[in-house]
Structures are given as structure tokens and as C-alpha cells.
């Protein structure tokens, strides 16, 4: 059965365990595990159906979500099939046994080390990995290979937070917890599209605000995002200008007498220097308003609220981190909490939202090239000695490791010759992606461990190692509030897939290194917990000593717990710094003087617009998982360049038309969507699409590799670009069973639908022979397929291949396609069609009016925009609640509610 799973659970080490074997993690036949998407870290109950799938529900007992899930979490069941999975090791494209693949990896690693030394090899790993995988990777590189060249994609994500925390607190400590979001009276959401990227926390905030209407929310983001739906104030600041806003806030707090002098005197260094810079550069709201391009009244409003509210939480995410001044942004906002002593107490403090399921874990375990393990520092000789003695390997290098972008630059220059990529897709997610693609093509040996066969990165691998995916792998992850939760397996390992820690340990053993003979992931976790106890004893914050010594059953039964949990404690720690003691040598926090600096390349006459990039509601990163789900692929089915209508008019662009975007690094053609929530002069492109899914390739082909000098994090949010209109009058919608890319067109993108793939295509001219071209896209056609073809004198064309009552391929193309009910057609693709349905399919429109739901708005209940608009008009619906009561839209995860409100407003305007 294609895409199906079979076979009993394999009990080899690293091969994943069946759900039935998990004691303590099972509730009513459902296995308690953790969502593999965002850093909220929601608890999930997965109930296997025995045929390779599982029913998914939120875990009511998990303290991150108390049973809620967002659209992505709810649709996890649609991502479990084996279509497209990498299920066997491949060396130079040929399937081989694991032994042979591991030998090949070990031999090439040994040879490179012998010839070029430890600085010539590197690991590039990921926040998709579990703590146990991460721990082994870090131990192998830093403890035994003897270089610090292991970095994680968290460099692209959290590095500025790590650096900012470390500068302010002496350690990468998250002071607060999720409950603070509900306890505060003022919540700042800075550079965070919470509604789409941390949806369950957004729902918690929304519920808290409904219960306590005096909880104020301020969104600080150049774009008007769906998150603004709950904002009392939105500050659409100029991109990159956050430091001025928070420096101005510090000066305003001082001017308004809101500084807690006793707290600063007892617990904080650097106040005077930080304030001096703030006073000089941003003395008043008017100066800030000019620097940030904001109305002065709105700036003053924020400052008044902040000065007058004791319980303030400042949430921040990629609009802060992914900047050439990201670390300064982090410190400028932390400064305001330190100056007012609002940290470490309920309802107060800075709170960074982490991105990936285990971005936080990578920071703890030492996955970053700039840290050792358990928040120990390789620049400190005593820390190096401690870890070396514990691991029993060679001396730990004091040479800083290569950070992600520098690592790929070192491949380009030939310094790094051997690379192991694990759990990340850098050729779709690094800035200047095409430059690094060319660099990787020159690397002598590239090993890629992934769950998926075809990605932009696996295309360049010499060795491919099949990894366990979510539901098969087992271990722990850490979320944004320092909570460690179990990810438990509930499916058997498919094919030859094995845990990443197992592959790493096997390679380590082939190099003759001792200490890698782990029997299972519980043994790794135990070693990790023991090392953390030593780190705790050395004065570090990361101490999970209480979790050392767990046997397999206790590890399997582990309840979610917030670190630190030192030996002798049980409860975990919700908040740190309530005693005013920090992890700096003197125990005092540090305020940083954040003088304004340029944010890298600025727009000029050649590249006059600013490109911002980020995420959409229902897709995850490079589409390897959400791209499998029809439900999640219906909301936004292609990469849309969003821009302000005024810019569009000036540039001659229309909604749904095409544009070419060029930066100094690359160019691509994509579709345009007008959005009045964008500032003039700024455009937005989602990061998700790539070569595997569309002709545009990754947005990152355009993005500048401008780095924050402290953290090394790239500035994904600000690249100068030029946008020009492109005429692609020939458009088409294609449905195929196979994901076979259509050549001979200028634009294509594919999205999963039930039964296959929907392609949107466009070209300056139709292919020479459209019928022959369409036939070539069908994959190997069966002899008895019936082909129906129609071309009219104006060039409109339909091609259908039928196998009995099923459509196997369909193409509708022409220069006028507005009439086509393509969502309705896509929904029919997997179905057997009776006579009337077949006739309607051929016509391209449903037989009955109103049967085309249109683009998906509510992914959970699969309600389309046409259905919603029709119900608003015909039944007089006037609120999201009324829509929910009638159509169920918005009643599960709630993520579409901001959009429902927009649709209501548009319907109101139309009426
Ligand atoms: N649906 C979905 N959710 C996800 C993910 C996903 O792929 N899809 N990925 C997860 C991961 S790994 C991460 S890191 C998080 C990211 O979560 P977020 O950080 O919330 O997401 P982004 O869309 O990257 O960017 C957030 C916002 O920063 C704004 N911004 C841009 N420039 C500036 C600026 O100069 N100042 C300020 N204040 N704001 C600015 C952007 O306009 C954008 O709305 O999401 C996680 N959750
Ligand atoms: N332009 C732009 N670029 C960005 C960003 C942006 O905002 N704008 N954001 C950046 C951020 S914050 C992030 S986090 C990155 C994310 O970028 P990536 O890490 O490149 O994206 P993913 O699609 O999550 O890639 C994960 C890969 O690991 C595989 N995988 C999943 N689980 C496992 C596992 O257990 N083991 C193994 N071996 N493989 C596994 C998946 O199949 C997939 O191929 O993108 C960054 N790039
Ligand atoms: S908010 Fe959604 S994506 Fe994030 S962990 Fe929860 S269910 Fe998963
Ligand atoms: Mo991220």
C-alpha cells in the first residue's frame, strides 16, 4: 500500500518503541507525547489506529496547552504517512545496509581528520532533534573530535536571545513562564506574530483578556498581523528600529520616576551607562517617533502604560532576534525590566518565545557553537576540565566553533571539507541560500540525516541516513518556559529508519571513541542529567540533577517539568531571579548601553524596497511535514508577495498578478497579494516554499547574510529588494497524482490535496503543444485511461485523464481562469465521480451554485471563504461567534478568528 506502514515494532536500539510499551505515558489507549512543531510545546494524545495512522487530540493534563491544539497540531494525523519518506541509507545514490553506510561515514570522517585535522569537519544540527540526539552530537564533536564546530539552526532563530540573556543575566536563563502571560496587566508582543506562530499561547492570552478586560496588549511589529486582532495598541515601527523604541522607554521611565532605585542599587550594574545613552539618543517621545516612524502620541501612550503598570511582560520573537542589532534589541528591552525591578515575579519579565519544538533544548545541551554543554562555557578552563573529565574524551578546544553562516562560508573557502547535516534543510533556510548551495556542492563529503527523501539539501548529499520521525522517535524536548516534556513513540520504526543518537553513537564507536555504547535514550538522558548536576554545582543555572538515575520505566513516566530541578527537589522552577541573584560572577544583573548602530545594508535607488520574511498560519518551515496535509495546504497554497496597495499601484502590480523580486543575491518570480497592513516601501514573503515545492525556490535566495556581530544571527527581516511587474498571462490549474514538476512554464507551485497534488502554473506563453505537455505530467499512464481533451479557438484548454470514474490528471488552462472552481475541483480529485459530478468536473464548475467552498479559512473544520461570505450575506451573520455557531469555523483552535473578523469587515464594506 503506497504511503502505508506495516510490520511490527522493531526493538533494536534506536529503532523506536511501540506505544504499547510506554508505561506511564498512556491514557485511555492514547500515548501522551509533545507536538513536534512550535516551541509552545503542547501536550498531545496520539491514539494509533493500527494501520499506521493515529487520532490526535490535545492532552488536557499538559501545562502548556491544557488540551488545546492549533491547526497544525490538530492536523498531525495527516502527516504520518510514509509517502516521500527516506526509509533506507543511501551512499552515492545507492541503497546500502546501515553497516555499510556507517562504515562510509566513519571512514570519510577518519580520513578527513587525519589529513586536515578537527577544524575541517563540522556538524550542522537542529531544534527538530531531541535532547538525547543533541547531547550525543555535541559530545562527539566537542568532547572527542576536539573542535567546537557544531552549530544548530537555532543560530538562525534564538542566538540573539541567548547572547542577550547571557549579557544581562550571566546565563541563558528564561526568567518567567507562560502563567505570567495571564497574570500581567500589560503585555508587549514585540516582533511576534503570536496568533499564527504560537497559536495556543495566543489563545491563552485571548482567554485571559476576555476574563480580565483591563489586561492591555501592545503589538510592536512593522506589519499589521492577525495578532493585532487583540491589540489595544499597534506600533507599526520602521523595520529594525526597536532599540530606539526601548532606549526611549528607558529614558521615559527615568523621566516619569518609574525606576526602582532600590532594586537597581541592590541587584543591577550598568544602569548609569545605559541611561546615559538612552537620554542622549532618545530623550523624548518625539525623537523616538521620528526614529521609529510612529505617531508621537502612540509612543507616549506605550511609555505611560509601561511606567504606570507594575505587572508587565515583554514577549519577543523573530522580529527582535533576526536582526543585525538583534542582541541589542534583546538587551534594550531587558534593560527596562531590570530598571523597574520587574523580573522574576508573577506577571512580570521579558519572555522570549522559542521557535522549534526543541530550540530551547539545543541551547541547554550545548548545540550552539558558542556554548559547551549544560550552560557551561568552553572559554572557561575549569568548565572545559569538568566536562572533559566527565566525558573521558580528549581535551576540549578553547577555539570558538563556527556559527551557522560562518560554517557554510568555511565550506565555501575550503576550510571545512566534511559536513554532517541533521534535521535541518539549510539550502532552503540559510540566507543567500543559492550561494551556500554552490558552496555545498564543492564540499568533499556531505552526510544528511533526514526523515524525508527529497529536500533542497538532500539533493546534494553523498550519504543519506534515514531518521525516525515524530511518532516514531522517543526522548525529551524543552519548551519556551524551560519545561522538559517527553516525546513518546506510538508508531513502529518504518523501513530502516533509526534514531539520530544511534547513528551518531555508531559513528563514534567506529572512530574508537569510548562512552557511546548507549542501550537506549533513557541512558543518554541519565548521563545528561548527571552532567547538569556538575554544572549546577559549578554555579550554573541549568541543573536537572533530580532527573538523574531514572530507570527506563521512570523515564517513560516522566511528567513535564521546568528546570532547574536540582537533586533533592521535585517540583521544578516556574520563575528565576525572584531573589535578585543572577549568574554573573558578582551575582548582579547587567544593563547594557545600546547605542544605535546601522542595521546592515539599507534600501537605495537600485533596491528601494525592504523585504521582510516570516511565517504563515498553517505551514511549517520548508514544508516537509505540513506540505503533506491537504487541510493545512488549503489556507495559503502558494508563496505570495504581500505589499501595500499604494506601492502596487505605483509598480503596476495587481492582486493575483505576478512580480519579479530581485536583491543583490538572487531573483525570483512569484504571485502578488495586496495587503494594506504593510507599511509603504515594505514587502513580505513567507519563508516556506523552496525548490522542492515551487519554481520560485526559497525566499532565502534573496535574503542578505548580514549578521548580528554578537550572536552571529542573520537578519532575515530586512533585505533591500527591487520589485517589477511580470506578465504571465497564460495560467493554469493542474491536478496530478505524482509530484512531478511541470517544465516549460515560468511559474509553478504545488500543494497537497486529497488524492494528489494541485499545481498552480503560469507562463508568458502556453507550451507549444499543451496536450502533449499535459500528458507528459501524468507519470506512467495506464493503457486503459481515457483521455478527454478540449481546446477552443481562444486558447482555453482542458485535458482530463480518467480511470473508470476517477480523474487521474486534470489541466484547466487559459488566459481567463477566474471562473474556475479550483477548490471544488481539488476536493473532487480523490473521489469516485458519478455522472453529474463528472459532467460538472469537466465543466470546471460545480453543478449547484454555492458548492465551491473557496480557499480554506478554517483549517480545523475545513470551511472555505465562499461558504463564509455566503452565510454572512444570506443569514445576516455579524460576528465571529455567529459564524462559529452557524458553520463551526473558528470554534476549534481559534486561529482563523482574526481572518473571520476581516471577512466580516469586507462584507460590511461591500454591503
Ligand atoms: N505557523 C508557523 N508557526 C511557527 C513556525 C512556522 O514555520 N509556522 N515556526 C516556528 C519557529 S522555528 C519560530 S522561530 C517562530 C517564529 O515566530 P515569530 O517570530 O512570531 O514569526 P515570524 O513570522 O518569523 O516573525 C515575527 C514578526 O516579526 C516582524 N518583524 C519584522 N521586522 C521587525 C522589526 O524590525 N521589529 C519588530 N518588532 N518586528 C519585526 C514581522 O513582521 C513578523 O510579523 O514560529 C514558530 N511557529
Ligand atoms: N527568510 C527566512 N529564513 C529563515 C527564517 C525566516 O524567518 N526567514 N527563519 C529561520 C528559523 S527561525 C528557523 S528555525 C529555520 C528553520 O529551517 P529548517 O531547519 O531548514 O527547516 P525545517 O523544514 O524545519 O527542516 C527540518 C528538516 O529536518 C527533518 N527532520 C524532522 N525531524 C527530524 C529528526 O528527528 N531527525 C532528522 N534527522 N531529521 C528530521 C525534516 O524532514 C526537514 O527536512 O529557518 C530559518 N530561515
Ligand atoms: S501551538 Fe500548535 S504548533 Fe505549537 S506546540 Fe501547540 S499545537 Fe503544536
Ligand atoms: Mo526558528
Amino acid at each position: 500500500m503506497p504511503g502505508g506502514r506495516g510490520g511490527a515494532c522493531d526493538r533494536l536500539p534506536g529503532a523506536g518503541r511501540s506505544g504499547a510499551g510506554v508505561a506511564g505515558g498512556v491514557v485511555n489507549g492514547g500515548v501522551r507525547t509533545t507536538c513536534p512543531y512550535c516551541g509552545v510545546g503542547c501536550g498531545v494524545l496520539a491514539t494509533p489506529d493500527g494501520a499506521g495512522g493515529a487520532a490526535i487530540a490535545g492532552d488536557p493534563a499538559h501545562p502548556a496547552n491544557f488540551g488545546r491544539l492549533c491547526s497544525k497540531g490538530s492536523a498531525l494525523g495527516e502527516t504520518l504517512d510514509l509517502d516521500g519518506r527516506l526509509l533506507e541509507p543511501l551512499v552515492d545514490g545507492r541503497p546500502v545496509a546501515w553497516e555499510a553506510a556507517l562504515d562510509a561515514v566513519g571512514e570519510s570522517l577518519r580520513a578527513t581528520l587525519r589529513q586536515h585535522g578537527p577544524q575541517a569537519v563540522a556538524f550542522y544540527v537542529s531544534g527538530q532533534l531531541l535532547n538525547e540526539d543533541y547531547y550525543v552530537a555535541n559530545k562527539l564533536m566537542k568532547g572527542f573530535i576536539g573542535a567546537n564546530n557544531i552549530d544548530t539552526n537555532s543560530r538562525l532563530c534564538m542566538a540573539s536571545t541567548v547572547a542577550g540573556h547571557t549579557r544581562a543575566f550571566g546565563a541563558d536563563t528564561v526568567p518567567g513562564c507562560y502563567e505570567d502571560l495571564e497574570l500581567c496587566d500589560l503585555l508587549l508582543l514585540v516582533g511576534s506574530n503570536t496568533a499564527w506562530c504560537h497559536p495556543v499561547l495566543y489563545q491563552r492570552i485571548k482567554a485571559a483578556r476576555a476574563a480580565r478586560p483591563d489586561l492591555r496588549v501592545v503589538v510592536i511589529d512593522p506589519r499589521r498581523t492577525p495578532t493585532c486582532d487583540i491589540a489595544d495598541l499597534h506600533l507599526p515601527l520602521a523595520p529594525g528600529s526597536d532599540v530606539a523604541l526601548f532606549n526611549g522607554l528607558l529614558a521615559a521611565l527615568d523621566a516619569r520616576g518609574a525606576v526602582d532605585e532600590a532594586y537597581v542599587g541592590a541587584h543591577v550594574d550598568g544602569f548609569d551607562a545605559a541611561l546615559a545613552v538612552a537620554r542622549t539618543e532618545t530623550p523624548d517621545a518625539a525623537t523616538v517617533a521620528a526614529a521609529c516612524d510612529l505617531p508621537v502620541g502612540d509612543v507616549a501612550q506605550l511609555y505611560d502604560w509601561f511606567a504606570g503598570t507594575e505587572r508587565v511582560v515583554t514577549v519577543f520573537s523573530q522580529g527582535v532576534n533576526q536582526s543585525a542589532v538583534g542582541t541589542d534589541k534583546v538587551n534594550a528591552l531587558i534593560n527596562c525590566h531590570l530598571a523597574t525591578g520587574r523580573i522574576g515575579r508573577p506577571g512580570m519579565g521579558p519572555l522570549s518565545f522559542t521557535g522549534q519544538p526543541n530550540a530551547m533544548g539545543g541551547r541547554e545541551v550545548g548545540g550552539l557553537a558558542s556554548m559547551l554543554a549544560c550552560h557551561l562555557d568552553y572559554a572557561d578552563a575549569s568548565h572545559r576540565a569538568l566536562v572533559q573529565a566527565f566525558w573521558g574524551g580528549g581535551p576540549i578546544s578553547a577555539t570558538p566553533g563556527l556559527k551557522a553562516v560562518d560554517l557554510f562560508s568555511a565550506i565555501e573557502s575550503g576550510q571545512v571539507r566534511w559536513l554532517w547535516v541533521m534535521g535541518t534543510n539549510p539550502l532552503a533556510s540559510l540566507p543567500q541560500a543559492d550561494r551556500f548551495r554552490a558552496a555545498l556542492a564543492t564540499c568533499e563529503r556531505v552526510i544528511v540525516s533526514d526523515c524525508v527523501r527529497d529536500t533542497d539539501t538532500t539533493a546534494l548529499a553523498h550519504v543519506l541516513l534515514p531518521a525516525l520521525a515524530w511518532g516514531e522517535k522517543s526522548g525529551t524536548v524543552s519548551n519556551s518556559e524551560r519545561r522538559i516534556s517527553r516525546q513518546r513513540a506510538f508508531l513502529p520504526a518504518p523501513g530502516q529508519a533509526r534514531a539520530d543518537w544511534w547513528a551518531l553513537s555508531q559513528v563514534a564507536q567506529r572512530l574508537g571513541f569510548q562512552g557511546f555504547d548507549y542501550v537506549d535514550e533513557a541512558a543518554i538522558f541519565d548521563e545528561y542529567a548527571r552532567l547538569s548536576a556538575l554544572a549546577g554545582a559549578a554555579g550554573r543555572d541549568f541543573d536537572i540533577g533530580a532527573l538523574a538515575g531514572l530507570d527506563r520505566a521512570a523515564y517513560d513516566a516522566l511528567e513535564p517539568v521546568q528546570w532547574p530541578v536540582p537533586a533533592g527537589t521535585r517540583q521544578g522552577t516556574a520563575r528565576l531571579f525572584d531573589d535578585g541573584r543572577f549568574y554573573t560572577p558578582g551575582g548582579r544583573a547587567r544593563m547594557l548601553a545600546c547605542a544605535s548602530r546601522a542595521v546592515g545594508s539599507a534600501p537605495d535607488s537600485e533596491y528601494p524596497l525592504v523585504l521582510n520574511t516570516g511565517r504563515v498560519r498553517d505551514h511549517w518551515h520548508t514544508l516537509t511535514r505540513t506540505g503533506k496535509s491537504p487541510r493545512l495546504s488549503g489556507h495559503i497554497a502558494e508563496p505570495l508577495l504581500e505589499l501595500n496597495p499604494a506601492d502596487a499601484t505605483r509598480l503596476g502590480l495587481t492582486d493575483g498578478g505576478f512580480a519579479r523580486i530581485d536583491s543583490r543575491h538572487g531573483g525570483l518570480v512569484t504571485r502578488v497579494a495586496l495587503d494594506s497592513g504593510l507599511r509603504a516601501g515594505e514587502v513580505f514573503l513567507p519563508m516556506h516554499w523552496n525548490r522542492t515545492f515551487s519554481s520560485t525556490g526559497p525566499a532565502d535566495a534573496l535574503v542578505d547574510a548580514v549578521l548580528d556581530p554578537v550572536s552571529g544571527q542573520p537578519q532575515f527581516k530586512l533585505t533591500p529588494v527591487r520589485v517589477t511587474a511580470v506578465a504571465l498571462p497564460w495560467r493554469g490549474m493542474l491536478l496530478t497524482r505524482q509530484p512531478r514538476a511541470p517544465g516549460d512554464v515560468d511559474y509553478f507551485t504545488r500543494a497537497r490535496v486529497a488524492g494528489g497534488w494541485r499545481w498552480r502554473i503560469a507562463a508568458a506563453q502556453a507550451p507549444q503543444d499543451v496536450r502533449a505537455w499535459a500528458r507528459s505530467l501524468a507519470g506512467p499512464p495506464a493503457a486503459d485511461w481515457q483521455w478527454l481533451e478540449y481546446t477552443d479557438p481562444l486558447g482555453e484548454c482542458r485535458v482530463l485523464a480518467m480511470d473508470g470514474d476517477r480523474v487521474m490528471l486534470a489541466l484547466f488552462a487559459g488566459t481567463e481562469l477566474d471562473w474556475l472552481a479550483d477548490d471544488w475541483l481539488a476536493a473532487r480529485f480523490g473521489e469516485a465521480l458519478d455522472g453529474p459530478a463528472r459532467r460538472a468536473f469537466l465543466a470546471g464548475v460545480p453543478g449547484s451554485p454555492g458548492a465551491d467552498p473557496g480557499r480554506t479559512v478554517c483549517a480545523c473544520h475545513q470551511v472555505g471563504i465562499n461558504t463564509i461570505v455566503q452565510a454572512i450575506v444570506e443569514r445576516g451573520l455579524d460576528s465571529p461567534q455567529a459564524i462559529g455557531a452557524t458553520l463551526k469555523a473558528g470554534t476549534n483552535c481559534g486561529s482563523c478568528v482574526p481572518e473571520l473578523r476581516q471577512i466580516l469587515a469586507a462584507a460590511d464594506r461591500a454591503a
Side-chain angles (χ1 to χ4, degrees):
M1 185 180 87
R5 289 169 183 266
C9 179
D10 192 329
R11 287 284 182 166
L12 284 171
R17 291 174 174 251
S18 74
V22 180
V26 183
V27 177
N28 297 334
V31 176
R32 293 178 65 198
T33 183
T34 312
C35 176
Y37 293 121
C38 83
V40 178
C42 295
V44 170
L45 279 176
T47 311
D49 62 10
I56 300 293
D59 179 356
H62 197 286
N65 58 318
F66 300 106
R68 296 180 183 91
L69 291 178
C70 75
S71 51
K72 293 184 298 301
S74 304
L76 273 166
E78 289 185 11
T79 65
L80 300 175
D81 67 66
L82 299 179
D83 281 340
R85 280 288 299 273
L86 174 65
L87 293 174
E88 57 193 351
L90 300 173
V91 174
D92 297 322
R94 281 186 308 277
V96 298
W98 263 105
E99 290 296 310
L102 292 164
D103 288 347
V105 175
E107 275 160 27
S108 63
L109 176 55
R110 191 196 303 273
T112 309
L113 288 171
R114 197 172 44 230
Q115 277 182 32
H116 304 286
Q119 297 299 337
V121 306
F123 294 166
Y124 184 55
V125 298
S126 150
Q128 308 294 318
L129 300 183
L130 305 172
N131 286 320
E132 292 74 5
D133 304 314
Y134 249 141
Y135 178 86
V136 176
N138 189 47
K139 175 176 173 181
L140 173 56
M141 180 54 81
K142 292 182 186 153
F144 288 81
I145 290 176
N148 292 318
N149 292 337
I150 170 171
D151 208 28
T152 143
N153 62 355
S154 293
R155 180 71 55 195
L156 316 178
C157 179
M158 308 307 317
S160 298
T161 296
V162 174
H165 281 165
T166 309
R167 291 204 301 192
F169 309 140
D172 176 22
T173 317
V174 174
C177 60
Y178 295 163
E179 193 192 27
D180 293 328
L181 300 167
E182 292 154 339
L183 296 177
C184 66
D185 296 314
L186 175 64
L187 176 64
L188 273 48
L189 298 172
V190 193
S192 160
N193 186 5
T194 321
W196 280 11
C197 296
H198 297 92
V200 165
L201 292 179
Y202 177 81
Q203 294 303 328
R204 284 182 64 169
I205 297 164
K206 202 176 147 184
R209 205 165 157 278
R212 244 173 1 99
D214 45 341
L215 191 175
R216 288 198 182 104
V217 176
V218 180
V219 173
I220 299 171
D221 190 314
R223 295 191 301 151
R224 187 171 71 231
T225 63
T227 307
C228 297
D229 197 43
I230 56 163
D232 296 280
L233 179 64
H234 170 218
L235 298 180
L237 79 179
S241 66
D242 306 67
V243 172
L245 186 68
F246 284 94
N247 273 346
L249 175 57
L250 182 61
L253 292 170
D254 180 61
R256 286 162 169 78
V259 170
D260 184 340
E261 279 163 15
Y263 184 88
V264 170
H267 303 299
V268 181
D269 285 336
F271 175 81
D272 291 336
L275 181 63
V277 166
R279 271 198 190 140
T280 313
E281 296 200 351
T282 48
D284 50 37
T287 319
V288 174
C292 301
D293 190 21
L294 289 170
V296 64
D298 288 354
V299 173
Q301 179 70 88
L302 168 69
Y303 292 178
D304 285 341
W305 283 348
F306 199 109
T309 313
E310 176 76 350
R311 290 172 175 242
V312 185
V313 169
T314 305
V315 161
F316 57 102
S317 191
Q318 299 315 336
V320 168
N321 291 328
Q322 291 174 340
S323 162
V325 293
T327 310
D328 282 353
K329 289 187 185 185
V330 172
N331 286 111
L333 69 84
I334 291 176
N335 280 350
C336 299
H337 283 271
L338 290 174
T340 49
R342 295 175 190 157
I343 189 165
R345 289 183 285 147
M348 303 176 207
L351 181 61
S352 118
F353 280 173
T354 58
Q356 302 176 86
N358 203 27
M360 185 68 119
R363 288 151 64 173
E364 295 154 11
V365 83
L368 290 162
S370 39
M371 302 170 103
L372 194 40
C374 303
H375 288 188
L376 293 163
D377 182 0
Y378 60 68
D380 183 321
S382 70
H383 290 182
R384 291 200 303 276
L386 181 159
V387 178
Q388 187 191 340
F390 182 80
W391 280 342
I396 288 168
S397 170
T399 307
L402 291 163
K403 298 172 181 153
V405 174
D406 297 336
L407 194 163
F408 279 83
S409 301
I411 293 170
E412 190 173 50
S413 70
Q415 181 205 321
V416 168
R417 296 158 179 268
W418 188 100
L419 178 71
W420 192 345
V421 177
M422 192 172 275
T424 175
N425 190 0
L427 299 191
S429 60
L430 282 173
Q432 292 192 21
D434 286 351
R435 172 183 154 206
F436 292 125
R437 188 162 179 266
L440 199 63
T442 68
C443 188
E444 285 170 15
R445 211 67 188 152
V446 180
I447 323 295
V448 177
S449 295
D450 206 298
C451 322
V452 170
R453 174 62 185 86
D454 293 317
T455 73
D456 290 28
T457 306
T458 59
L460 291 193
H462 301 110
V463 180
L464 277 175
L465 301 177
L468 297 177
W470 183 77
E472 301 149 10
K473 61 184 177 178
S474 162
T476 55
V477 290
S478 309
N479 74 3
S480 299
E481 59 168 359
R482 291 176 275 102
R483 193 179 295 278
I484 299 175
S485 298
R486 286 281 277 112
Q487 262 197 24
R488 296 183 174 91
F490 56 89
L491 294 170
Q496 298 298 310
R498 290 284 183 278
D500 292 307
W501 65 257
W502 180 82
L504 285 156
S505 310
Q506 290 295 314
V507 170
Q509 291 178 34
R510 277 168 172 72
L511 271 88
F513 299 143
Q514 303 292 314
F516 289 89
D517 49 353
Y518 302 108
V519 292
D520 62 8
E521 58 277 11
I524 302 169
F525 186 79
D526 174 56
E527 182 180 314
Y528 176 38
R530 285 187 285 115
L531 176 59
S532 82
L534 299 179
R540 304 309 294 161
D541 57 342
F542 184 76
D543 182 346
I544 55 168
L547 308 181
L550 302 182
D551 62 14
R552 178 78 213 191
Y555 175 75
D556 281 338
L558 184 68
E559 287 295 317
V561 60
Q562 282 171 291
W563 65 262
V565 261
T569 66
R570 299 198 68 81
Q571 289 304 317
T573 311
R575 293 179 191 86
L576 290 108
F577 308 143
D578 51 339
D579 57 356
R581 302 236 358 118
F582 295 85
Y583 293 98
T584 53
R588 292 166 67 86
R590 296 187 206 108
M591 284 174 62
L592 270 286
C594 302
S596 61
R597 287 190 289 112
V599 291
S601 48
D604 54 26
S605 55
E606 215 183 332
Y607 299 98
L609 301 169
V610 166
L611 172 69
N612 178 3
T613 61
R615 294 159 169 80
V616 302
R617 190 188 78 192
D618 289 349
H619 272 313
W620 178 262
H621 292 173
T622 68
L623 302 179
T624 56
R625 288 182 292 163
T626 50
K628 287 183 151 209
S629 160
R631 255 207 274 179
L632 297 179
S633 301
H635 181 235
I636 297 181
E638 50 187 332
L640 299 174
L641 178 76
E642 294 176 359
L643 82 173
N644 183 289
D647 284 333
T649 308
R650 197 168 45 79
L651 297 166
L653 299 168
T654 51
D655 199 44
F658 286 87
R660 186 181 167 81
I661 321 166
D662 287 287
S663 76
R664 288 198 170 75
H665 312 290
L668 52 84
V669 170
T670 193
R671 205 188 287 272
V672 168
L674 305 194
D675 183 345
S676 60
L678 274 124
R679 292 165 49 98
E682 288 158 32
V683 301
F684 180 87
L685 191 62
M687 66 171 287
H688 306 290
W689 281 267
N690 48 64
R691 284 173 197 272
T692 314
F693 281 82
S694 75
S695 58
T696 60
D700 272 313
L702 300 166
V703 172
D704 257 346
V706 173
L707 307 183
D708 178 290
V710 186
S711 68
Q713 181 157 354
Q715 175 161 264
F716 287 110
K717 301 286 188 248
L718 201 166
T719 298
V721 293
R722 177 173 63 226
V723 176
T724 40
V726 172
L728 300 180
W730 190 77
R731 313 268 170 98
M733 195 276 275
L734 177 68
L735 294 165
T736 65
R737 301 276 173 198
Q738 308 288 338
R740 177 184 299 242
D744 286 344
V745 287
D746 298 298
Y747 173 85
F748 71 78
T749 183
R750 72 171 149 111
R752 196 79 172 101
V753 296
W757 299 89
R758 167 171 55 184
W759 305 78
R760 298 235 168 88
I761 52 183
Q765 278 179 330
Q768 282 269 319
D769 180 344
V770 179
R771 295 174 178 200
W773 177 80
R775 280 174 180 256
S776 74
L777 301 171
D784 53 354
W785 284 7
Q786 200 189 345
W787 288 86
L788 308 172
E789 293 163 340
Y790 161 89
T791 313
D792 78 8
L794 297 174
E796 190 183 299
C797 167
R798 295 171 208 191
V799 178
L800 254 70
M802 303 286 304
D803 185 4
D805 55 6
R806 283 175 189 275
V807 179
M808 303 307 287
L809 172 132
L811 170 72
F812 295 84
T815 49
E816 277 291 332
L817 274 191
D818 296 350
W819 54 271
L820 191 72
D822 75 341
D823 295 283
W824 179 83
L825 289 165
R828 303 285 82 72
F829 190 47
E831 298 174 358
L833 303 180
D834 61 11
R838 210 156 51 234
R839 282 192 289 279
F841 195 100
L842 263 168
V845 286
S848 57
D852 178 18
R855 182 181 64 79
T856 305
V857 174
C858 171
C860 298
H861 291 298
Q862 305 202 57
V863 188
I865 186 152
N866 296 351
T867 312
I868 295 170
V869 171
Q870 193 184 358
I872 291 173
V873 173
E874 289 177 2
R875 309 177 73 159
L877 308 181
D878 59 359
S879 67
Q881 291 75 11
I883 297 176
T886 311
L887 301 171
K888 286 172 95 178
T891 57
N892 180 46
C893 80
S895 291
C896 63
V897 170
E899 195 170 342
L900 295 179
R901 228 186 292 281
Q902 278 175 7
I903 296 168
L904 283 162
D908 205 35
R909 280 195 303 275

